[in-house]
Amino acid sequence: MSWETVIGLETHVQLSTKTKLFSRASTAFGASPNTNVNLIDCGLPGVLPSVNKEAFYKAIRFGMAIDAQINQVSIFDRKNYFYADLPKGYQITQMDLPIVLGGSINIVSGETTKTINITRAHLEEDAGKSIHDEYDGYSAIDLNRAGTPLLEIVSEPEISSAKEAVAYMKAMHQLVTYLDVSDGNMAQGSLRCDANVSIRKKGDKDLGTRTEIKNINSFKFIEKAINFEIKRQIKILEKGETVTQETRLYDSSKDETRSMRSKEFANDYRYFPEPDLLPVVISDEEIKRIKDEFPELPSEKEMRYQQDFKISAYDAQIIASSKSMADFFEAAAEQTGNYNLLANWLIGEISAYLNKELIEINESKLSIANVAILINRIDDQTISGKIGKAIFEEMCISGISPDEIIESQGLKQISDDGAIEEIINSVINDNPAQVEAYRGGKDKLFGFFVGQVMKLTQGKANPKTVNAILNEKLK
Amino acid sequence: MDQETVRTICYLARLEIDQKKSEKIQKDLETIVDLIGGLQNIDTSAIEPLYSPLEMTASIHEDIENSDNQKEKFLKNAPESNDDYFFVPRVVE
Amino acid sequence: MNIQFKSIIELREMLDNKSISITELTQESFLLAKKYDELNCFVTMNEEVGQKKADAADSNNKNSSMLFGIPLAQKDLFCTENLRTTCSSKILSNFIPPYTATAVKKLEDAGSITIGKTNMDEFAMGSSNETSFFGNVHNPWKKGYVPGGSSGGSAAAVAAGIVPAATGTDTGGSIRQPAAHCGITGLKPTYGRVSRWGMIAFASSLDQAGPLARTAEDCAILLNSMSGYDSKDTTSLNSDVPDFLANINQPIDGLKIGIIKEFNLSDLDSEVQARFEESKKTYEKLGAKFIEVSLPNISASVPTYYSIAPAECSSNLSRFDGVRFGHRAKNTTDLNDLYIKSRSEGFGDEVKRRILIGTYALSAGYYDAYYKKAQQVRRLIKNDFDQVFQSVDVLMTPTSPNTAFEFGSKGTQNPVELYLEDLFTISSNLAGLPAISIPHGQVNSLPVGLQLIGNFLKEDQLLNTAHLFQKNSDFHLAQPSLEDFS
C-alpha cells in the first residue's frame, strides 16, 4: 500500500513588541518570575484590556509580505476555557475576523520550490507558564509571558513531508525576522508550531483523520515529531485500524509522540465578541505608512548587493538569507572598501564559527568595527590572510580589536623588500643542498624555502614579496 | 434542558450543584431558557447584532512600557504562593 | 451639628461657613453608619484612612471642588486600593485590591472622603439585595423590606442620611430601581460616560457607574467628577463633559416628553398609576408636552437582557478560579477539582444560575439562537429609541412596576418573577442611554420612583428635567423615621 502524508501547520510567532498585546507590561524574556506582570496580565477583578498599536502594525506587515488580504476592521473574541496559567479564564483572540486572510509563502525543500497557501493569521495573547516539576505536589505559575502578543499563522494542509514542514518553518523564520515582526528565537519560544498530521491512501481525495502535535519549538523536533507521527499512523492504518483524532505531545527525550490526557467533555470554547474591546480600525493612511516603511526582503537585498557591492550572486544570496548577517554585512561595508573580502570572510570563517557555536552573529563577540578592521588590515597587507585567521580566533574569544592584537603580538606583516631579502639570503646560505636540488629541477622545494622564511618571520613576511624575491634569487 | 445538558454546562462553567438543589436549579434554568426562547418569534433576518451600545472604534496605544513590578502585592492576594510563584495542585500533562 | 439627610450642597455651605469641620462631618457620618448598623448598608468601613484624610483636609484646605471634604460611600464592586472589595460574595470576601477604580479615584481626587463600601446583590446580580453573602439590606422606610438592588446598600445609606451620596452601578436598573425603592435620586449615565476601569464586571456591554444622591443637583456634582475619557477603558467615551450643574436650572418650557405606548400602565397598581398621572401634571405645569410614542420591540427587553447579561457574566466571572486571589476550597484533588469546589463554594445560587444560563447561551449549537439572536434584537430596540428621539426629548416611565417588597416574597419559587421587575429599566442599558430615577411620592408609606430616559449623552437634559421637578415638589425631601433601626 502506498501512503501520502498531509500536514497543516499552525505557527505561533511571538511579536517583538516592547509591551504586551493588551497591557503595557514588558515582554522582555528571562525576567524573574511574575515581575513582568501588571494588573491586566494578572487578570484582577475590574481590569480592562487596551490594544498595542505596534502588534497590529507587525501583523499587517506580515500580511503584506505574504500578499494577503488585510482586514482593516479587526474584532477580538473571547475563547473561554480554564487553565492555571490562563489568568482570566478566557484568551482574547480573533475568531471571525482575523487581521490577515489568505496569502502564501514559498518554501525550498531540496531542489524544489513549492508554494504553501496561508489560510489566515490572527492576533492573540499568549498564556503564562506552568512549571510542573519543581515543587512537590504543586505546579508553579509564572505570568510573565501572559498577554505577550502572538500571531497565529494557519497554513492550508498542503505540506507533504516532515522535510517540507521544516522548510516551511525555515521560510517562516526568515520572513518574520526579516520583517522585524519577531526575533524568531525558537529556544525562547518566539517561534513554535502545532502540526496537524494525517495519512491517506495515495490518490484519495478525502483527508484522513488527523492528530495535532502541540507546541514544537525546534526545526529538529519538527522533523522528528512529524516523522514519528507519520510512521505511527501508517502502522495503525496498515493493521486496518483507525487513527483517533486527538492532541499529542512530542517527547524529545524518547523521540515519540504521546496522547494528552483526554478530557471528560469535549472542549466548547464558547467564542463571543470581546465586549471590553470595540473594533480596532486601521486607517488607509496607516496602511500606506506601513507599506512605505516596508523593510527590504531577502530577494531585494540579493539584487542590491550584486549591484552596489559587486559581490557574486552566490555570496549575495547567502548573506541576504539571514537578516542578522545582512545587517552586519551592510554595516561593516560602510567601514571597509573590500566588499568581496568581507563577503568571503562572512561566508567562510565567520559562518563556520557561528555554525559551530550555534549562535547568530549579533550574539557573538564579533563587532562590526572589529571585523571591518580585520578586513582592512588584510586588504592593506598589514597582515596576511593566515595571520588574519589567527587574529580572528582571538577576536571570537576576547572581542579585542585586531589592531590591538597585531600591536601587542607584533604581528605586523613584513613587506619591506630589504628586510625580506636579508632573511632569504640567510635561508639560501643555510641550505645549500636544497638550493642545489631545486636548481637541479626539484620545483617542489620552492615551498620549503617559503616555509623557512615564514618560520623565521613567524609568518609575518608578505607572501607575495617572499615569492618574488625567492624566485629571483633561486634562478 | 435535560440533565445531561445541565451536567455539561456545569462542567464548562466549573460549577457543581448541590444534589438537594439540582432539581430546583434545573427547573429554574428551564424557566429562564423559556423566557429567552421567546426571542425566536422576532424576525431578525438581515439585522446585524449590536455587541456594544457604542458603535465606535477602539483607540489603540503606543508600544511604550508603563508598568511597575507589583509581584509582592499580587502574590499576597494568592491563596497559595511562595516568593515567586502562584501555586496550584500539580498538573500532569 | 446634625448632618443627617443633608444634601451635598447643604453640607458644602456648612463647611464653607465653618459651622462644621471636615473632621467633624466625617466623624458624624461614621457615627450615623454605626447607629444604623442594623440596616446592613455597609460591608466594610474605611474609618481609619477616611478619618485621617478628613483631618489632613482640614489643615490643608485648598481644594475648591464641591466635593471637598464630603463623605461618600462606594458600592463594593469598585476596587479600592488597600480597602477590602468583596462584590458581596464569599469568593472575594478577603480580597484587598492593589488599585482603585477610576470613578472612585476621581471622586477622591476631588476631595471626597470614602467612608465605606456598601452592600449589594452578589456581583450586582439581583434587584432586591437578597443575594448578598453579607446578608439582606433593609429598606430604611420599612424594616424587613428590600431596598431594591443591586446597589441596595448605597441607596439605603443615602436614604438613611448617613452619607449625602454614594456610587452605584447599573447593568439593568441597579442604580435606578433601588433609588426608587428608597426614595432618592439615582442616575445611570450613558454607556461609556464613566470609566469602567476597576469596576468589577458583571456584563461588560451593559455596566455603567453612576451616582445615587438626595437630589438631581447632587447627582450632577458627582457626575461632574466621575465622567470623562479614561485611556484604561477603551469603551469610555472621548466626548466633552459639560458642567452638569451649570445648566440644571434651565426652563423646560416646550420640552417634549414621550410616554411609551407598549408599557401598559393600566396594568400597574392604581396608586402607582395615580402618582404617574400626578407627575405628568407637574411637568405640564412647567410647560412640557406629552406625546405617546411606540417602541415596538421594547417588550423584548427582558428576554434580550437575560440572554446577553448572563452570557457576558459567565465569561467575566471565569477569573474567579481560586488561583490568584479570592476563595480557594480546601482538600482538593487536582486543578479541576479546585476550580469546581472553589467556585461552587464561593458563588451564591443566583450567580451560579446566571453563569449557567450564560454558559448555555454561548455554547455550541445555542449561540446563534440565544446570544446572537439577543444581540440582533438589541439592535432593533436601539433602533426604536433612535426613532423616537427624533420626535421627543425625554421618555417618562415608572422606574419599577411596584414598590419595595418584603424579604423573600418574590423570585424564590420562580426567578423570572423577579426579572420582570426590571421591565422599565433594562432597555436603556441595552441601548446605552442615560436614565434617571427621582422620587415622586409614596404608596403605602413606601417610595415610588419616576424614570426619565434621555438620548445619548443627554445627561444634562435629564438632570435639568429632574431638577425642575424637584424644585416644584418636595417628594425628594421626605425622610424615613428609622425608628426601628436605632
Side-chain angles (χ1 to χ4, degrees), chain A residues 41-90:
Chain A
D41 311 314
C42 193
L44 285 177
V47 301
L48 298 166
S50 70
V51 177
N52 183 343
K53 185 195 270 183
E54 192 58 28
F56 264 87
Y57 283 14
K58 287 185 191 281
I60 291 169
R61 213 184 294 155
F62 174 82
M64 286 176 174
I66 63 163
D67 212 10
Q69 178 193 325
I70 308 295
N71 283 323
Q72 281 173 254
V73 179
S74 253
I75 289 174
F76 284 100
D77 298 280
R78 290 187 185 178
K79 177 182 182 179
N80 293 284
Y81 66 98
F82 285 88
Y83 198 69
D85 53 29
L86 183 73
K88 301 183 294 296
Y90 55 84

Side-chain angles (χ1 to χ4, degrees), chain A residues 140-159:
Chain A
I141 311 298
D142 174 8
L143 297 178
N144 277 350
R145 206 180 60 189
T148 300
L150 298 177
L151 188 65
E152 179 176 330
I153 303 156
V154 183
S155 85
E156 289 290 307
E158 296 174 346
I159 298 165

